[in-house]
Amino acid sequence: MSGSSEPRNPGEERDPILEADAASHPQHRPKLTLREWAREKLAWLGRLTRRQIRFFLIMLGASWGVIFESFRAHSWRRTVRFEFASTMRSVIGGGLIATLFAGTLTGVAAVSQTIYWLGLAGMAKMTGTILIDVVIREIAPILVGILLLGRNGMLSVTELGLLTTGGEIRSMQAQGLDPFLLLVMPRTLAFTVGGFTLGILFSFAALVTGYVISRISGVVTNPVWTFLYDVITAMSRADYLVIPLKFVTVGFVVGLGGCLTGLTATNEDNLRTLLPRGFSRGMLIVMAVSVLFSLDL
């Protein structure tokens, strides 16, 4: 008979409303024993440690690769030279105004105040030594590294990250092109040259600005070349090696870290994940370099 409903056995058909309610309230997991809980925590710690050390090991290997390939003549093909020149113009030319402005602010805030308070305390003879140890060796490399990271380092992260997630890097490899030689090596070396150049300009701008402010306020009466001579003579033999090497190393690691962060991006990454990761890694690298050079080993 149509329209009549036959009796149903319980359990023959499932009620979707009850199933949805059951799915929204899953059963509680059984309690883990102390041994299983410890194994889960150790596994999580191991994954975290391996993920962080992996990038450090990649940077070590890539650093040697950049240095080794830079001395090989056939590595410097036309496309590599073009990438090196364009990146160096972007790093030095684009960051010149920001570097000079930051050096000027440092001269007003740090150099002039150092000259003033040392003169007030009767320790004017230590001005050159303090400026070299604090401003040139410590402040200048960190600020130059931050400027390189914020302007050009993040640009490398973005460009190479989009090339990696978009499949262009795999296309280059399929055509027999090496992304390391075409992109990583020239950009890293351009950052290295830019780090040294901008570091020297930053230091000069900071010292000259600090002298001008001190001269205007009447704290210093000597000519500017006498002031600069006193600063230079306060440098030790090690400073002539350590200070340029620190600028070079900061530029090298900032450029290499930005390139590798972009190349190690996965398909799940986007700009929201790449940019914070690249900035945090870059800051840690800059601070690590500054600390390592400051250690008296």
Side-chain angles (χ1 to χ4, degrees):
M1 183 176 179
S2 60
S4 63
S5 59
E6 297 180 357
R8 300 173 182 174
N9 295 328
E12 277 188 359
E13 297 183 3
R14 298 179 179 177
D15 192 339
I17 298 179
L18 295 178
E19 288 184 354
D21 184 69
S24 62
H25 298 83
Q27 296 181 354
H28 295 287
R29 293 178 55 188
K31 291 185 178 180
L32 298 177
T33 62
L34 179 60
R35 182 177 180 181
E36 293 174 344
W37 179 85
R39 290 181 61 182
E40 283 192 359
K41 296 304 179 182
L42 289 176
W44 174 82
L45 182 62
R47 287 192 298 269
L48 179 63
T49 304
R50 184 174 59 183
R51 191 182 308 118
Q52 299 301 322
I53 293 180
R54 177 176 174 269
F55 185 78
F56 174 72
L57 296 178
I58 291 176
M59 277 205 64
L60 288 180
S63 301
W64 168 248
V66 169
I67 297 173
F68 178 78
E69 292 293 341
S70 64
F71 288 100
R72 303 180 67 181
H74 73 275
S75 298
W76 291 95
R77 300 176 181 178
R78 182 178 300 176
T79 53
V80 178
R81 295 197 303 268
F82 176 80
E83 185 69 22
F84 173 78
S86 61
T87 304
M88 191 165 59
R89 283 195 300 268
S90 175
V91 171
I92 299 178
L96 179 61
I97 302 300
T99 301
L100 293 178
F101 185 72
T104 302
L105 293 180
T106 303
V108 173
V111 177
S112 63
Q113 294 298 314
T114 301
I115 296 173
Y116 173 78
W117 288 108
L118 288 177
L120 190 64
M123 304 171 63
K125 294 183 179 180
M126 296 184 61
T127 301
T129 304
I130 298 298
L131 292 179
I132 290 296
D133 291 342
V134 176
V135 177
I136 308 301
R137 290 189 59 174
E138 302 299 333
I139 297 178
I142 293 177
L143 292 183
V144 170
I146 293 174
L147 290 174
L148 286 174
L149 174 64
R151 191 186 186 282
N152 300 99
M154 302 308 296
L155 182 62
S156 294
V157 173
T158 303
E159 291 179 348
L160 298 187
L162 293 178
L163 289 177
T164 302
T165 56
E168 285 84 356
I169 297 295
R170 290 192 297 270
S171 300
M172 293 174 58
Q173 293 173 339
Q175 296 173 10
L177 302 176
D178 190 356
F180 184 83
L181 291 179
L182 293 177
L183 299 174
V184 178
M185 186 191 73
R187 292 192 178 209
T188 302
L189 295 178
F191 271 83
T192 303
V193 177
F196 174 78
T197 305
L198 296 180
I200 297 300
L201 293 176
F202 178 93
S203 303
F204 182 77
L207 292 176
V208 171
T209 303
Y211 168 81
V212 171
I213 298 298
S214 301
R215 184 66 182 267
I216 293 175
S217 60
V219 178
V220 177
T221 58
N222 297 328
V224 63
W225 52 83
T226 304
F227 170 75
L228 295 177
Y229 177 79
D230 293 338
V231 173
I232 293 176
T233 54
M235 295 175 60
S236 62
R237 294 181 178 179
D239 291 331
Y240 286 97
L241 176 63
V242 171
I243 293 175
L245 186 60
K246 200 169 185 179
F247 288 135
V248 168
T249 306
V250 166
F252 183 89
V253 297
V254 168
L256 183 61
C259 292
L260 293 180
T261 301
L263 287 180
T264 54
T266 61
N267 294 330
E268 290 78 16
D269 285 323
N270 50 41
L271 293 181
R272 291 184 178 180
T273 58
L274 280 176
L275 294 182
R277 185 188 307 160
F279 184 79
S280 60
R281 284 177 176 175
M283 288 297 299
L284 289 176
I285 290 171
V286 171
M287 298 304 296
V289 170
S290 179
V291 169
L292 288 177
F293 275 90
S294 300
L295 295 177
D296 296 328
L297 299 178

